[in-house]
Amino acid sequence: MTEQSSPITAAEVTKVAKLARLTLTDAELERFTHQLGDILGHAADIEALDLTDVEPMARPIPLTNVFRPDEPGEPLDRDDVLSVAPAVEDNQFRVPPSLGEDS
Amino acid sequence: MSVDLDTWEIVVGLEVHAELATRTKLFCSAVNEFGGEPNTNIDPLTLGLPGSLPVLNEHAVELAIRVGLALGSEVSPSSFARKNYFYPDLPKDYQISQFDRPINVGGSLELPSGKVIGIERAHLEEDTGKSTHVGGGGRIHDAGYSTIDYNRAGVPLLEIVGRPDIRNADEARAYVTELRSILVAVGASDGKMEEGSMRVDCNVSVRRRGDDELGTRCEIKNVNSLRSLGRAIEYEAARQVDLIEAGERVQQQTRHWNEDDGRTHKLRSKEEADDYRYFPEPDLVELDPGAEWIERVRAAMPVLPAARRHRLAETTGSELEQTALVVERGLDELCLAAIEAGADPVRVLTHAEHNLSDERSLKLDPEQFAELVKMETGGQLTATQAKTVLSEMVEGAGSPADIAAAHGFEAMDNSELESLVDGLIESNPTEWQRFCEGDAKITGFFVGQVMKATKGQADGKAVTALLNTRKG
């Protein structure tokens, strides 16, 4: 399969992987480009159908307005939660810094 | 540095995030409160634990509808989407927001000046946790590490996106002040900027006067007060003008306002919108408030600040802008009641604007306020005496008549004043001569003498008028 005929290019898959913080090997890149191409190909099959008379649906389930009353429930115990955190400081989760870009 | 406004036009659009005044979070029953012990208002959904599912808080929707109606938005069928990004302030790795189908579409907001600012949309989304950057001076980009408190994660926000109709720092401040008044009036938010209940992102661009096309904008974050908002806009506009005048281009980017050095700093290049890979939130169903709910909310809406300003301006025959402060202080009902009770509308408004800054003024009895104004316009009290009596009324000292009596403020009989003035003219011929020759400064001498003789109870204006009559 050449890049032109594929619904998704290896470059696009690389970008998506980067956004998802995934590092792909060359073999994985090829495999996922192929698999994602198949999925997009299936969507293309549906696009090929004449759906002019079909109402667009925002959700597959015909359900609206599921609510919860504004009433407090039981919180989790902080010590329980923090006991499973990788790092803790002052009752807070300690995490590595992010966003390095600056000038 | 300041921008030459004859050559350049500043264009500002504001995005305001308002925390909604619910008891619990947007999608779970963890408590929504400011200042709680770190990580105590957390539950499985707040932490994004596997298997936890969001359910929409009905009251948050109600509050969103109130704001939508207050802004004249079209309250619409809407849905939620996932905004995907990796940042530890949301442990799910996505924020639930509204993307292509917001609950409130369009609208506008009228500033006290009468200028109208367009509203693009006002949509629901969840707030993020609070990160504290430790090491490297506490700044986001060079922190050694961060600590996170998830109490705020999931708190309901309404993001109110304004159109780029604002043209200077004063208008930006007026917009935020007005929006805060509206949010508070409808009970949607406490509007406290100092507690982060209202946060402003500010899009600034510049263009040459007469240009139709908008310039490239920068988004400024970390603007935490009205004062910073004005400073940040002025700094950023000047920075952009300097760039363009130096032959460079403004690059679209997110910048961080630093209160200490009074500058904006590049935070990150603006990510492409589709980098967030929005997609419909599969765990939530459609939200369609429907006509019945919307009308129920509309029926319970209070009179909003803009309408209150117009009402007061019409009743008093004053300029719209003169009513802004009085409405902001919530004194308009008192004024209207006092006017209804027969007090002179202009005097009522003047007192409310200048002499009723004390919070206790809200408790004034309108009948007594009216009585005071009537005593003043009836000549029983001078303007200065009326002010004194009013300030004591605010302190709860009693009725205007009693306070005036306690001070010995009594209206001077006109004939009494006349004989006093005539006596002064007779005994001070040199000064009188100067007055008659048009030396305005000498007026003060006569007024002063009358005040001395009456222990300050005479009306200065009446004395001047009398002197002029005698001059012929």
Side-chain angles (χ1 to χ4, degrees), chain B residues 2 32 128 185 247 266 332 382 437-438 470:
Chain B
S2 69
N32 167 18
T128 60
K266 181 178 167 188
D332 47 323
T382 65
E437 285 162 3
R470 287 290 182 270

Side-chain angles (χ1 to χ4, degrees), chain B residues 175-393:
Chain B
Y175 173 88
V176 173
T177 305
E178 183 65 16
L179 187 54
R180 180 169 57 193
S181 303
I182 291 170
L183 292 169
V184 172
V186 302
S189 176
D190 65 22
K192 291 180 183 166
M193 278 186 98
E194 66 280 12
E195 292 185 1
S197 301
M198 233 180 122
R199 303 194 292 274
V200 182
D201 294 341
C202 173
N203 289 292
V204 179
S205 66
V206 297
R207 63 180 170 191
R208 288 182 196 276
R209 287 221 172 261
D211 280 3
D212 290 331
E213 254 180 71
L214 292 172
T216 304
R217 70 188 155 90
C218 288
E219 182 179 4
I220 303 163
K221 294 196 177 275
N222 194 43
V223 178
N224 297 325
S225 68
L226 289 178
R227 187 168 168 271
S228 319
L229 175 65
R231 290 178 71 202
I233 289 170
E234 278 163 6
Y235 171 84
E236 179 60 19
R239 187 189 71 85
Q240 294 182 13
V241 166
D242 283 354
L243 274 178
I244 298 167
E245 286 183 341
E248 293 177 52
R249 291 166 64 102
V250 175
Q251 287 186 0
Q252 186 172 339
Q253 58 191 209
T254 302
R255 300 180 67 86
H256 186 87
W257 167 250
N258 185 319
E259 186 66 44
D260 297 331
D261 67 7
R263 299 156 74 107
T264 62
H265 299 266
K266 181 178 167 188
L267 192 61
R268 56 179 183 241
S269 293
K270 188 77 184 164
E271 287 164 89
E272 291 295 318
D274 60 358
D275 269 5
Y276 287 125
R277 291 149 296 142
Y278 282 96
F279 65 85
E281 166 57 74
D283 293 337
L284 288 164
V285 302
E286 287 286 288
L287 170 60
D288 183 1
E292 198 188 316
W293 191 2
I294 295 167
E295 289 317 310
R296 195 155 17 102
V297 174
R298 197 193 303 277
M301 291 283 277
V303 185
L304 295 167
R308 286 162 55 192
R309 289 193 296 266
H310 280 280
R311 186 175 62 182
L312 190 60
E314 276 159 30
T315 309
T316 57
S318 313
E319 293 295 317
L320 193 56
E321 287 194 86
Q322 248 188 297
T323 62
L325 192 60
V326 176
V327 169
E328 201 183 306
R329 289 189 191 140
L331 292 168
D332 47 323
E333 293 285 350
L334 171 72
C335 290
L336 292 170
I339 292 164
E340 179 76 30
D344 176 63
V346 175
R347 286 308 301 160
V348 165
L349 187 63
T350 306
H351 278 302
E353 201 181 353
H354 300 291
N355 305 328
L356 292 179
S357 54
D358 192 305
E359 261 184 34
R360 289 172 293 181
S361 305
L362 286 164
K363 290 188 192 144
L364 270 182
D365 176 56
E367 297 282 340
Q368 292 197 344
F369 183 28
E371 194 188 325
L372 169 90
V373 173
K374 284 184 206 167
M375 287 169 74
E376 185 187 355
T377 49
Q380 290 154 270
L381 292 173
T382 65
T384 315
Q385 288 170 342
K387 191 176 164 182
T388 306
V389 173
L390 185 57
S391 74
E392 290 185 22
M393 285 166 68

Side-chain angles (χ1 to χ4, degrees), chain B residues 132-193:
Chain B
T132 307
H133 307 291
V134 184
R139 278 160 63 172
I140 192 169
H141 41 261
D142 52 8
Y145 60 92
S146 303
T147 59
I148 305 194
D149 169 11
Y150 286 120
N151 282 351
R152 202 182 62 186
V155 161
L157 288 179
L158 197 70
E159 180 174 344
I160 302 142
V161 183
R163 296 226 167 93
D165 295 342
I166 293 168
R167 290 293 174 270
N168 56 56
D170 285 342
E171 279 182 10
R173 281 189 290 253
Y175 173 88
V176 173
T177 305
E178 183 65 16
L179 187 54
R180 180 169 57 193
S181 303
I182 291 170
L183 292 169
V184 172
V186 302
S189 176
D190 65 22
K192 291 180 183 166
M193 278 186 98

